[in-house]
Amino acid sequence: MNLFTSITTSLVVAVPAVAAAQTTEDMNASNNPLTPNVGFSLQDQYVGRAYGLGDDDSNALLLRGTVPHRLLGLPQIVRVTMPVVSTPDLPPSGRHTGAGDLNLFDLFLFKADHVQLGIGPQLTIPTASRDETGTGKWQAGFAAALIAPQKFGMLGGLVTWQQSFAGEEDRPDVSTLNVQPFLIWNLPQALYLRSSATMTWDLRNGNYAVPIGLGIGKVWKSGATTSNLFAEPQWTVAHDGVGMPKFQVFMGLNLQFPL
């Protein structure tokens, strides 16, 4: 909780207030994964405790970029994520830090009444620098996002599924489903409350984790660039399987650049 307090204090005090975004549209666009802007994010998923692993922690630093495009004349947005993973300090191998597996998906964008939809293919490439920081498997699947902007903020969700189809034969197959519902509640002074914990299912082994989160963020503009700084503690309320997170903190800085 000390970590959360220090981060939220920096959100309220250290971020320039004079350049705060002033409209609901600005606030929603900064949190919308389907906003057709070039984006770069530096995000971090810190797991303070995991089930069956005692007090050993782990971390995943996510370097993430988004690029809109119109291949074949259709509006799309590509998201690329490169993780840098620090594993728990467990015997016999101990803690290791290295590159993880590169993930990307390409969403085709659609609009209906007050709703935005993105759906498309997903691919994970086994780029991990060590066995401990990746799966050793090529994986393919799909991603889909549904966004519903509201007067108070935004409702939405992101669903991804992937299945391994090639890779190192001595590594286990992979099949995962991730569901990330999120709620954004805009506040004065370009602050907002957020809940965006990702539910995870290991479909091959039957393991799962269902967390809930509550965090705070702040949006501001510098010229044409929109910045979004946030922190969200998350607690798991249902789970099965060793290694599933018990408590984690998701935090990051998202930048959006207009085309």
Side-chain angles (χ1 to χ4, degrees):
M1 189 60 67
N2 290 336
L3 174 63
F4 178 55
T5 302
S6 64
I7 293 172
T8 53
T9 300
S10 68
L11 283 170
V12 176
V13 176
V15 173
V18 294
Q22 297 299 319
T23 69
T24 299
E25 290 74 16
D26 290 336
M27 297 285 289
N28 288 348
S30 70
N31 283 301
N32 187 346
L34 302 183
T35 298
N37 288 338
V38 175
F40 175 75
S41 300
L42 184 64
Q43 301 177 350
D44 193 82
Q45 188 84 47
Y46 171 73
V47 178
R49 293 184 179 182
Y51 290 98
L53 302 182
D55 293 331
D56 289 294
D57 61 352
S58 62
N59 194 78
L61 176 66
L62 307 176
L63 307 176
R64 178 168 286 165
T66 56
V67 179
H69 65 96
R70 296 186 65 89
L71 183 65
L72 304 177
L74 300 174
Q76 300 162 62
I77 189 166
V78 172
R79 192 182 83 174
V80 181
T81 303
M82 169 56 76
V84 179
V85 179
S86 295
T87 65
D89 186 8
L90 298 173
S93 60
R95 185 185 300 276
H96 296 285
T97 298
D101 294 336
L102 180 69
N103 173 265
L104 58 92
F105 57 68
D106 184 22
L107 299 181
F108 291 81
L109 304 180
F110 306 92
K111 285 186 177 182
D113 291 339
H114 309 294
V115 174
Q116 297 171 268
L117 173 66
I119 188 168
Q122 176 177 215
L123 177 68
T124 295
I125 303 171
T127 55
S129 57
R130 303 182 59 94
D131 285 352
E132 294 86 354
T133 60
T135 64
K137 293 290 188 179
W138 288 79
Q139 303 169 61
F142 73 88
L146 182 67
I147 305 298
Q150 307 290 325
K151 292 182 179 180
F152 63 80
M154 191 170 63
L155 297 172
L158 173 66
V159 178
T160 63
W161 169 82
Q162 56 185 352
Q163 168 74 48
S164 59
F165 63 91
E168 300 177 19
E169 294 184 357
D170 60 340
R171 304 288 295 276
D173 291 334
V174 178
S175 181
T176 57
L177 173 67
N178 295 322
V179 179
Q180 184 185 20
F182 53 85
L183 165 66
I184 304 296
W185 192 284
N186 294 330
L187 301 173
Q189 301 301 318
L191 293 166
Y192 66 91
L193 298 178
R194 60 179 288 140
S195 180
S196 64
T198 300
M199 299 178 283
T200 302
W201 284 267
D202 177 351
L203 301 178
R204 181 177 181 273
N205 298 307
N207 300 335
Y208 67 90
V210 179
I212 59 173
L214 179 61
I216 189 170
K218 184 173 180 67
V219 178
W220 74 97
K221 282 192 173 184
S222 178
T225 302
T226 301
S227 301
N228 184 348
L229 184 65
F230 68 89
E232 181 183 335
Q234 300 171 350
W235 297 264
T236 296
V237 296
H239 86 286
D240 188 19
V242 173
M244 292 297 178
K246 180 183 297 185
F247 169 75
Q248 56 193 333
V249 180
F250 182 45
M251 65 188 82
L253 173 64
N254 303 333
L255 305 175
Q256 288 183 349
F257 312 94
L259 292 176

